[in-house]
């Protein structure tokens, strides 16, 4: 191969790779946020089972899940990057037109999670109300911005 050909081939590969890398990044972002949401579901589900009386209330376990949820709560917002609005996602079109509102909802949810951590470890009655406030944040955002499956 001539040097010119090598250079041209390398160049065209680089040009081709750029949009591909972007598509990969969008896919990664979708998987990232869905993974974080799965972590929400894991910790939230464990607390919800205790709140609903499906599992015996264990203050220590409840506090563990509240703290772990708070640790991951602020992370999902980062996954809604530009260009990640199509593909294997359940995010509604409306979400992309209202990113400020979406981000504010994550902040509100994280604040509710802080309150949940503050009351967790004690009686279930106290944790219930704080848990309900977080649940309201999940539902509010899903009702507006997540496709029903
Ligand atoms: C500010 C908006 C918002 C908040 C708050 C929110 N979600 Fe979601 N959630 C979404 C969106 C949007 C999707 C779809 C993401 C996608 O498919 O790209 C989603 C998806 C999910 C999924 C499915 C993940 C998967 O497997 O693909 C679960 C589980 C979930 N959310 C749980 C929760 C729980 C539990 C809470 C509250 C503790 C919560 N979410 C709070 C917007 C939100």
């Amino acid at each position: 191969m001539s040097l010119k050909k090598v250079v041209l081939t390398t160049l065209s590969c680089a040009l081709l790779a750029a949009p591909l890398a972007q598509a990969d990044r969008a896919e990664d972002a979708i998987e990232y946020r869905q993974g974080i949401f799965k972590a929400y579901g894991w910790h939230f589900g464990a607390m919800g089972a205790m709140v609903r009386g499906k599992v015996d209330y264990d203050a220590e376990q409840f506090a563990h899940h509240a703290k772990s949820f708070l640790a991951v709560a602020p992370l999902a917002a980062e996954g809604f990057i530009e260009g990640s609005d199509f593909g294997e996602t359940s995010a509604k079109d409306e979400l992309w037109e209202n990113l400020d509102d979406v981000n504010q909802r994550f902040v509100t949810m994280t604040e509710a999670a802080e309150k949940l951590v503050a009351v967790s470890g004690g009686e279930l009655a106290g944790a219930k109300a704080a848990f309900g406030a977080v649940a309201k944040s999940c539902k509010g955002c899903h009702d507006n911005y997540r496709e029903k499956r």
Side-chain angles (χ1 to χ4, degrees):
M1 220 188 261
S2 73
L3 181 61
K4 194 173 165 196
K5 218 172 174 187
V6 170
V7 170
L8 281 179
T9 311
T10 313
L11 253 182
S12 58
C13 281
L15 288 177
L16 269 178
L20 275 182
Q22 232 166 18
D24 276 357
R25 200 171 133 70
E27 258 172 49
D28 286 350
I30 293 171
E31 280 178 21
Y32 170 80
R33 69 193 184 223
Q34 289 174 345
I36 299 292
F37 284 130
K38 284 204 171 101
Y40 283 16
W42 173 262
H43 297 294
F44 211 69
M47 288 186 280
M50 290 188 226
V51 166
R52 288 192 305 274
K54 293 205 164 162
V55 170
D56 286 344
Y57 177 63
D58 177 329
E60 210 174 297
Q61 271 298 310
F62 193 96
H64 158 76
H65 288 296
K67 280 186 205 140
S68 301
F69 172 63
L70 175 59
V72 292
L75 303 182
E78 185 179 328
F80 291 92
I81 64 164
E82 218 186 304
S84 64
D85 53 343
F86 58 91
E88 298 288 311
T89 174
S90 308
K92 280 191 188 170
D93 291 347
E94 284 84 349
L95 181 141
W96 306 99
E97 292 148 23
N98 297 286
L99 279 178
D100 285 348
D101 179 54
V102 172
N103 286 325
Q104 184 52 50
R105 284 172 186 273
F106 280 121
V107 171
T108 305
M109 183 193 71
T110 304
E111 284 166 0
E114 277 165 2
K115 288 190 186 130
L116 180 61
V117 168
V119 298
S120 72
E123 292 297 314
L124 176 61
K128 256 187 186 172
F131 178 85
V134 179
K136 224 173 123 189
S137 297
C138 313
K139 189 178 181 315
C141 191
H142 289 170
D143 284 351
N144 283 291
Y145 301 123
R146 182 189 175 193
E147 299 284 359
K148 289 195 177 68
R149 292 200 174 180

